[in-house]
Amino acid sequence: MAIYIVLNQFTDQGVRALKDTTKRADTIREMARKLGVTTKAFYWTLGDYDVVDIFDAPDDASIAALVASIGAAGNVRTQTLRAFSEEEMNGIIAKLG
């Protein structure tokens, strides 16, 4: 499974419905499960991003489908990052020669 970090910024719609943000997280967990994606954590944050999601996904297509569904709801704009563990990074470094 690959690790993905999704950075979210509330849209105007998302701000107006702020009181439902944790309920939306429950909905996202269920959407993720149906796509074979494991939800690791949601963090509500201060700064440029309002929510940070962490997922394990079997492939890029699965996370892309999830993030597209999240965006289609209209409450957030997303930016998705593929993250590498220390072990994975050591493997990448080893391939440098």
Side-chain angles (χ1 to χ4, degrees), residues 68-80:
S69 296
I70 292 169
N75 294 299
V76 293
R77 286 179 205 84
T78 63
Q79 182 176 357
T80 304

Side-chain angles (χ1 to χ4, degrees), residues 14-25:
V15 171
R16 284 192 303 273
L18 185 62
K19 65 182 180 185
D20 296 327
T21 189
T22 57
K23 291 176 188 171
R24 290 194 299 266

Side-chain angles (χ1 to χ4, degrees), residues 9-63:
Q9 292 178 311
F10 288 131
T11 61
D12 290 342
Q13 173 182 311
V15 171
R16 284 192 303 273
L18 185 62
K19 65 182 180 185
D20 296 327
T21 189
T22 57
K23 291 176 188 171
R24 290 194 299 266
D26 291 337
T27 301
I28 292 167
R29 273 188 199 91
E30 181 60 22
M31 290 169 31
R33 187 190 64 73
K34 289 179 181 177
L35 291 167
V37 175
T38 302
T39 303
K40 301 304 259 180
F42 291 103
Y43 296 101
W44 284 261
T45 57
L46 302 174
D48 290 338
Y49 297 96
D50 300 303
V51 185
V52 176
D53 313 334
I54 303 173
F55 299 104
D56 278 344
D59 51 52
D60 290 345
S62 298
I63 197 69

